[in-house]
Amino acid sequence: MSIIRKIRRAIRGEVSPRTALLEGARRTQKATQRRGEPARLQQQAKESARLTPNFSDLSPNSLLEHFQTRTEPHFFPGLDRGPQSVVAPLHRLFPEDTAMLIASADRITDKHEWPLLGLLDHTFIGWHRDPLSGYEWPRDFYSDINLQRNDGSDVRFIWELNRLGHFLKLALAYSETGEQRYSAEFFRQLDIWEAENPFGYGVNWNCAMEVALRALNLLGAFAIFRNASDLDTSRLARLLRIFDRHGRFIREHLEFSYVATSNHYLSDVVGLLWLGIMLPELEDAQEWREFGLRELMREMTKQVLPDGADCESSTGYHRLVLELFGYSFLLCHLNAIEIEEQYWEKLRRMFGYLRAYLRPDGLAPLLGDSDSGQVFPLRRRSGNDHGYLLAIGALLFDDPQLKIDRLPIPPELLWFFGEQGVMKYEALTSDKKGPGSQLFPDAGVCVVRDSDRYLLFNASDAGLNGRGSHGHNDALSIEVSAGGCAFIVDPGTYVYTADLQQRHLFRSTAYHSTVEVDETEQNSTSKEMPFVIGNEAAPRMLECDLGPDIEVVTAEHYGYRRLTHPVTHRRRVVFNKTRRYWLVVDQLNGKGDHDLSFRFQFAPGLETNVSSDGVVELFAKTSGARLLIGTTKNIVQVQQPELEARFSSRDYGSKEASASARWSLRSVLPFALSFVIVPVSAGEDAAERLSLARSWEG
């Protein structure tokens, strides 16, 4: 029973004895297997790629000819450089993107520079050199490396570098220009990478998810470079060996748990699926493909909520998971691999959730964690850029509701669907009306919107069925946009392990547009554990009435019930669509005196002023849009709002100065405070708009 007690202490949330027993047995088995692992991996490192009998007997030249002339399996049409493929040049359809692509490939080739997450001017200094701290990660056996060092280093940057996504830029530039210097740079870097990352040693073999995502990018580069003139028999043998090692490592180091699986395990099975589909010449390909497809469906059932949202309470990871499923479904379709309709329908709901939470400016609110991760990054997208996926969904489902005219046609359409896909998308009639207000009860998210007025009400829990990992202390927080500008926003993530203080700050209650009681976090966190968060808040929706003129959403959470004098926070949002403003009513129920802080977190780049009567005015210089925030009445005990210095992050590793407004007081409970949030268009009288809003009690 001791192993069960250890497992139950290590996990969070409600876990049955049977699940704890299974998880304990799994961990014990893995620990036993790991004892002889260094010797086993060293032996595997000496082996060539294991091919099926049909190909193992071929001469090196015949094998090279096979890969250069094969017409199956099928990769994405815009990347498949088989002997009979006809691919439209990028510059004819996307001239600006072509110029950007070539410039990026030139920087990689000539200066060894390319963006790395939020580091837009990263210069390559080694596959193991941490770009933040300069720390050189050791080449020790992968499981012996401590990932959390508390010295300013962050393995997330090293992992992103070693996903080798920049190889796709070289491949696309080669496809567009035919210039051999791009293929030469690819082979040169790959040779160095393999030499400096011996199989199973170093931080780049520490996580199967990273191995899997690297395999996807290498498959994309290989799809183009397999017809490069400088691909010879020795380089082909090296590539096949690398692919075989990646598949073997993923299969033997799956990030599975009986307690919960997440985007990590999903990435593992996607890596095996792609390797199995695209390299049937490898001995284990069929097993990888069958296992990957089977587990992909199981994980969709487990990880995607019935309303289409990813289970981790994070829009950033919803994008990542949607890419994993969407690209994999397309690859299966291209290779006549059947997927049941129920899974396609769930994928459609995932696109629908993204369409609903996308702001009027075309960018995404960053609820929960966002590490800017992309699957198969043919074009680099910032952490809050999710709109390009809607175009892919529109083609997959022939759905005009997923087409947004104001967003540019993404070049990904050409690469994933070919020229015919771009033409089909251009001919698709868009939904001019756009999405209306929607409730996603399983996600705990409600979006109330009309025209360019948008409010997202977040009542999601910590994620992963309450276990938490990528959720934040943001229960009952809101995002507000109007006049084409985001005003009230979620601050994003910034970093994970590079700075634990900043990590916890960005996911804290005080960094979100909600109510803080007695300077206490809604959910418990541990300062030494960046990926652990409790689920004491357990928010729930109480009311959602999305009427034609008035919309009302109410939710409450219980994170403050663990105080000496327990408190329940209930928030009610009323949207008057006719008069164009919101009423936010916060009710704090309980007993005793408490310190209460009501905050709204603002987007960077806004001019912020506080008037003498306590009204906060936000002004967007670029659009001229304004937003007013004030209490509905002059309440004596409420202090003048205080502007607090804050930061916001849209890309992992970067942050911008911003601000929040805080109304604070000490009061006996129960206590209620109401705010009006009023967008003001150019030419409108702000004082009149505010007075009208304050006179209406909803």
Side-chain angles (χ1 to χ4, degrees):
M1 291 295 292
S2 61
I3 185 66
I4 296 178
R5 286 195 295 268
K6 289 179 181 178
I7 296 301
R8 297 198 71 170
R9 281 199 301 268
I11 58 183
R12 305 176 298 285
E14 293 297 323
V15 178
S16 69
R18 180 178 181 276
T19 299
L21 184 63
L22 287 171
E23 182 63 15
R26 185 192 69 83
R27 294 192 182 195
T28 300
Q29 182 184 32
K30 287 294 182 183
T32 301
Q33 292 174 347
R34 198 163 287 141
R35 291 171 189 164
E37 189 175 21
R40 186 172 71 255
L41 291 180
Q42 287 178 2
Q43 177 58 40
Q44 292 177 2
K46 299 176 183 178
E47 301 173 3
S48 302
R50 300 162 305 145
L51 303 176
T52 63
N54 289 343
F55 296 98
S56 60
D57 294 334
L58 291 180
S59 68
N61 286 328
S62 297
L63 190 63
L64 177 62
E65 182 182 2
H66 161 75
F67 276 100
Q68 290 177 330
T69 59
R70 72 175 190 176
T71 57
E72 292 182 340
H74 301 291
F75 204 49
F76 305 118
L79 303 175
D80 198 347
R81 293 306 189 268
Q84 299 176 359
S85 63
V86 178
V87 180
L90 180 69
H91 69 264
R92 180 158 57 82
L93 299 174
F94 300 96
E96 293 184 5
D97 289 282
T98 303
M100 292 171 54
L101 169 65
I102 300 303
S104 296
D106 287 344
R107 284 183 61 197
I108 296 170
T109 303
D110 301 334
K111 298 182 179 180
H112 305 125
E113 293 179 351
W114 57 90
L116 192 63
L117 301 175
L119 305 180
L120 300 182
D121 297 313
H122 169 68
T123 300
F124 178 77
I125 51 176
W127 298 113
H128 300 269
R129 180 68 61 86
D130 188 277
L132 294 184
S133 65
Y135 174 70
E136 185 79 13
W137 288 89
R139 274 71 159 182
D140 299 338
F141 188 63
Y142 78 92
S143 63
D144 295 336
I145 300 174
N146 176 27
L147 299 182
Q148 187 175 320
R149 299 180 44 80
N150 301 321
D151 61 357
S153 60
D154 191 331
V155 73
R156 177 67 185 89
F157 285 97
I158 290 296
W159 282 348
E160 181 69 23
L161 171 67
N162 287 272
R163 287 181 184 180
L164 306 180
H166 65 288
F167 282 179
L168 295 175
K169 297 288 191 301
L170 294 173
L172 292 171
Y174 175 81
S175 175
E176 185 68 19
T177 66
E179 293 188 21
Q180 188 176 346
R181 62 196 187 97
Y182 299 127
S183 60
E185 180 66 13
F186 164 73
F187 289 119
R188 187 190 71 84
Q189 286 198 29
L190 186 61
D191 289 348
I192 298 173
W193 187 90
E194 187 188 34
E196 295 189 5
N197 290 273
F199 190 38
Y201 285 79
V203 73
N204 298 316
W205 293 100
N206 185 276
C207 173
M209 173 185 183
E210 300 304 318
V211 179
L213 294 179
R214 181 165 60 243
L216 304 189
N217 294 330
L218 285 171
L219 283 170
F222 180 56
I224 292 175
F225 287 132
R226 68 188 177 106
N227 280 308
S229 60
D230 43 357
L231 175 65
D232 55 23
T233 56
S234 63
R235 283 174 170 162
L236 174 62
R238 171 166 287 178
L239 273 163
L240 294 177
R241 181 172 68 241
I242 289 174
F243 284 128
D244 193 37
R245 288 178 182 174
H246 277 61
R248 294 176 76 170
F249 189 90
I250 298 165
R251 190 67 178 91
E252 295 173 5
H253 299 83
L254 293 168
E255 295 163 278
F256 174 82
S257 168
Y258 286 100
V259 177
T261 51
S262 67
N263 64 85
H264 276 248
Y265 181 64
L266 178 60
S267 298
D268 300 347
V269 300
V270 166
L272 290 173
L273 176 64
W274 285 38
L275 286 166
I277 292 174
M278 294 310 302
L279 292 171
E281 297 85 359
L282 294 178
E283 183 178 84
D284 290 339
Q286 183 174 348
E287 195 276 334
W288 293 344
R289 167 178 154 170
E290 293 174 354
F291 174 84
L293 183 63
R294 181 174 67 250
E295 291 301 295
L296 185 73
M297 301 304 105
R298 288 182 179 175
E299 290 308 303
M300 176 168 265
T301 301
K302 291 165 59 178
Q303 295 194 35
V304 182
L305 302 175
D307 56 20
D310 175 54
C311 70
E312 296 193 72
S313 296
S314 157
T315 52
Y317 282 93
H318 181 84
R319 179 180 80 167
L320 182 82
V321 168
L322 179 53
E323 287 181 325
L324 287 166
F325 282 120
Y327 300 164
S328 297
F329 276 41
L330 176 58
L331 187 64
C332 287
H333 174 71
L334 292 170
N335 288 280
I337 298 172
E338 184 177 353
I339 293 176
E340 293 180 25
E341 181 60 31
Q342 61 174 314
Y343 300 112
W344 281 102
E345 179 55 34
K346 205 159 195 180
L347 181 65
R348 182 195 289 266
R349 291 199 292 272
M350 293 187 74
F351 282 107
Y353 178 57
L354 189 157
R355 178 67 183 97
Y357 71 62
L358 211 65
R359 298 190 312 233
D361 63 2
L363 299 175
L366 294 179
L367 306 184
D369 278 345
S370 174
D371 71 351
S372 300
Q374 288 180 257
V375 179
F376 210 61
L378 294 167
R379 175 175 172 177
R380 183 188 176 277
R381 300 284 182 174
S382 62
N384 62 350
D385 183 357
H386 300 190
Y388 64 97
L389 284 173
L390 292 179
I392 293 172
L395 280 184
L396 279 175
F397 295 102
D398 194 23
D399 187 351
Q401 292 185 337
L402 297 177
K403 182 178 180 180
I404 304 178
D405 281 338
R406 68 178 179 275
L407 295 182
I409 299 176
E412 285 93 338
L413 290 188
L414 177 63
W415 295 320
F416 281 118
F417 296 95
E419 186 174 10
Q420 287 187 339
V422 177
M423 295 171 61
K424 182 179 178 182
Y425 182 79
E426 290 177 327
L428 188 66
T429 302
S430 65
D431 179 19
K432 302 297 183 183
K433 185 179 179 181
S437 299
Q438 287 180 265
L439 170 68
F440 295 87
D442 304 296
V445 169
C446 185
V447 178
V448 293
R449 66 196 308 163
D450 183 56
S451 185
D452 69 346
R453 290 168 291 281
Y454 164 103
L455 182 145
L456 184 146
F457 189 14
N458 181 18
S460 57
D461 65 13
L464 281 179
N465 296 317
R467 293 189 70 249
S469 177
H470 291 300
H472 286 186
N473 279 325
D474 54 6
L476 312 194
S477 65
I478 61 172
E479 282 228 4
V480 174
S481 296
C485 175
F487 286 101
I488 301 173
V489 300
D490 189 286
T493 298
Y494 183 42
V495 292
Y496 288 155
T497 62
D499 187 328
L500 291 182
Q501 181 181 3
Q502 291 288 306
R503 161 62 171 160
H504 290 300
L505 191 63
F506 270 78
R507 67 174 183 163
S508 68
T509 305
Y511 248 55
H512 291 86
S513 300
T514 185
V515 181
E516 183 185 42
V517 178
D518 295 338
E519 298 184 342
T520 302
E521 294 291 348
Q522 295 173 338
N523 297 300
S524 58
T525 58
S526 172
K527 65 179 182 179
E528 301 301 327
M529 303 180 75
F531 298 105
V532 171
I533 188 170
N535 196 40
E536 293 88 351
R540 65 189 183 102
M541 289 284 185
L542 302 176
E543 174 189 18
C544 183
D545 183 5
L546 304 179
D549 301 313
I550 305 294
E551 299 185 333
V552 183
V553 186
T554 305
E556 67 181 18
H557 80 82
Y558 314 103
Y560 300 129
R561 284 189 175 180
R562 67 189 195 277
L563 297 174
T564 303
H565 298 289
V567 177
T568 298
H569 175 205
R570 176 176 293 188
R571 171 167 278 185
R572 182 171 180 253
V573 173
V574 184
F575 181 28
N576 188 322
K577 296 164 72 173
T578 304
R579 297 185 176 183
R580 297 180 290 116
Y581 47 74
W582 295 274
L583 176 70
V584 177
V585 183
D586 286 309
Q587 176 74 43
L588 285 305
N589 296 317
K591 297 180 179 179
D593 288 350
H594 295 273
D595 291 318
L596 307 177
S597 295
F598 303 79
R599 286 187 176 88
F600 297 99
Q601 169 92 8
F602 305 139
L606 299 173
E607 288 187 1
T608 308
N609 299 296
V610 180
S611 66
S612 58
D613 63 347
V615 175
V616 176
E617 179 180 12
L618 306 174
F619 176 67
K621 291 182 288 186
T622 54
S623 65
R626 285 184 290 172
L627 191 78
L628 306 179
I629 307 172
T631 56
T632 56
K633 299 176 182 178
N634 261 332
I635 302 176
V636 176
Q637 66 264 46
V638 178
Q639 298 178 2
Q640 186 84 343
E642 171 191 3
L643 294 180
E644 302 173 307
R646 287 288 188 266
F647 287 96
S648 291
S649 172
R650 70 170 187 171
D651 261 333
Y652 191 85
S654 67
K655 60 181 180 178
E656 301 175 79
S658 60
S660 71
R662 173 191 179 193
W663 287 258
S664 61
L665 72 151
R666 186 168 181 83
S667 177
V668 176
L669 300 190
F671 177 82
L673 185 60
S674 300
F675 296 87
V676 286
I677 301 176
V678 186
V680 180
S681 302
E684 290 187 316
D685 188 305
E688 182 179 335
R689 291 274 294 134
L690 180 65
S691 176
L692 183 65
R694 279 177 158 172
S695 68
W696 182 69
E697 291 293 342

